[in-house]
Amino acid sequence: MGSAAGRLRFQVAPHALVRAVGHPRLAVPPWPDLADTTPAGVRAWLEWMRAAWRDPVLADAVRHASPALARELDALSDGHAPPRGRARKTLFALAGYCLRAQRRQMPFGLFAGVSEACFGHRTEAVWGEGHRATARAGGEWMAGFIEQ
């Protein structure tokens, strides 16, 4: 084997891909008191979930990621009030998706994405509104398709 010192290991490219959160400015109401399990506290949870669920961007992303949670939130919007334990689980699930949409840049469903970046002498970031959702086949699905 030859010396690694003479071989080029990395080469600078003019472009890169950047993972970015999908909705950093997602407007959710102020968080309710998650520790308040009194009837008034649970009512505050339900009001918060109903208010957050009215955001069509959040609702679309959650519908894509978790149809079961979306059904629960639709029922909640229609006036159904689940028991305290179920309401707490639903609250934490929705809150987790809100945080994912605002702060987690791992591409997952409609919560985050990838964009092109260029290297230059100064930093500039532009957050546009013309996002486009795309889909790709997962490895497991593709393997099953090929086997057919």
Side-chain angles (χ1 to χ4, degrees), residues 68-85:
L69 177 60
R71 284 190 295 275
E72 287 187 47
L73 291 162
D74 284 338
L76 184 67
S77 292
D78 291 339
H80 173 71
R84 180 178 58 195

Side-chain angles (χ1 to χ4, degrees), residues 11-18 115-119:
Q11 183 175 359
V12 176
H15 300 282
L17 293 179
V18 176
S115 183
E116 182 180 352
C118 298
F119 295 102

Side-chain angles (χ1 to χ4, degrees), residues 35-49:
D36 185 357
T37 59
T38 65
V42 173
R43 280 193 302 276
W45 298 350
L46 299 176
E47 290 170 16
W48 182 87
M49 288 187 283

Side-chain angles (χ1 to χ4, degrees), residues 15-21 105 107 112-118 125-128 131:
H15 300 282
L17 293 179
V18 176
R19 295 188 303 201
V21 296
Q105 68 275 13
V114 178
S115 183
E116 182 180 352
C118 298
V126 178
W127 203 269
H131 306 293

Side-chain angles (χ1 to χ4, degrees), residues 23-115:
H23 310 286
R25 294 183 296 266
L26 183 68
V28 293
W31 299 103
D33 182 351
L34 304 178
D36 185 357
T37 59
T38 65
V42 173
R43 280 193 302 276
W45 298 350
L46 299 176
E47 290 170 16
W48 182 87
M49 288 187 283
R50 287 182 182 115
W53 192 238
R54 284 193 286 271
D55 185 318
V57 171
L58 177 63
D60 285 346
V62 171
R63 283 184 203 290
H64 179 76
S66 178
L69 177 60
R71 284 190 295 275
E72 287 187 47
L73 291 162
D74 284 338
L76 184 67
S77 292
D78 291 339
H80 173 71
R84 180 178 58 195
R86 188 72 231 156
R88 183 176 169 86
K89 287 182 180 183
T90 304
L91 172 69
F92 275 78
L94 182 57
Y97 280 120
C98 288
L99 292 173
R100 178 183 289 269
Q102 294 172 318
R103 295 182 176 89
R104 188 164 182 215
Q105 68 275 13
M106 289 297 296
F108 174 78
L110 303 177
F111 290 99
V114 178
S115 183

Side-chain angles (χ1 to χ4, degrees), residues 7-13:
R7 286 185 283 177
L8 182 63
R9 290 186 175 248
F10 298 100
Q11 183 175 359
V12 176

